[in-house]
Amino acid sequence: MNGADGGLALLQVLAENSFDSILITEASAEGKIIYANDAFEKLTGHEPSSVIGKTPRILQGPETDEKVITKLSDALKSGGKFEDKAINYKKDGTPFMMYWRVVPIEVAKKIVAWVAIQREVPVL
Ligand SMILES: Cc1cc2nc3c(=O)[nH]c(=O)nc-3n(C[C@H](O)[C@H](O)[C@H](O)COP(=O)(O)O)c2cc1C
């Protein structure tokens, strides 16, 4: 599958219709958001266009488990994958349990971006 056979259009339709929130950031240390789907807005209350150029740190707050964020930081530094949950905050300040996975997007063995798949799970 490649751009020429409609692969990109297919991926776009998948992302736009996913029930899970999808967030893509630049590969840089700053990790600016370059894409968010409609499910991200449904989950967090942030309009996709309003978060482009910001970092997903905007979802964090006082109750966010720092150990989980350190684990994610380590995964980003080593180019590995991450999967865990932590308290995040919606635009209106409501806390919720975010369960998310972050994976690198590699082109010619170089990480060009990171993609996160996110959903709300019950706080147990
Ligand atoms: C693609 C991607 C998605 C992310 N999504 C979230 C998220 O949903 N919630 C969250 O608390 N942090 C998320 N982060 C983590 C922060 O952006 C940041 O990488 C993390 O806080 C570690 O950096 P810091 O130690 O400078 O805060 C995400 C990171 C990436 C790369």
Side-chain angles (χ1 to χ4, degrees), residues 62-89:
E63 300 287 316
T64 304
D65 187 342
E66 279 184 24
K67 276 193 276 197
V68 174
I69 300 306
T70 302
K71 182 177 139 187
L72 171 54
S73 254
D74 292 346
L76 294 178
K77 280 177 208 142
S78 66
K81 293 180 183 174
F82 162 93
E83 184 174 328
D84 214 332
K85 55 186 181 177
I87 301 281
N88 270 192
Y89 295 81

Side-chain angles (χ1 to χ4, degrees), residues 22-45:
I22 297 175
L23 203 57
I24 302 178
T25 69
E26 288 177 351
S28 69
E30 229 181 316
K32 286 186 188 162
I33 296 167
I34 53 176
Y35 176 81
N37 68 353
D38 288 347
F40 175 82
E41 178 172 358
K42 214 168 172 194
L43 178 65
T44 67

Side-chain angles (χ1 to χ4, degrees), residues 79-106:
K81 293 180 183 174
F82 162 93
E83 184 174 328
D84 214 332
K85 55 186 181 177
I87 301 281
N88 270 192
Y89 295 81
K90 299 183 193 251
K91 189 182 172 189
D92 68 3
T94 310
F96 69 102
M97 188 59 83
M98 176 78 99
Y99 180 61
W100 82 115
R101 176 182 283 169
V102 176
V103 289
I105 301 176
E106 288 182 38

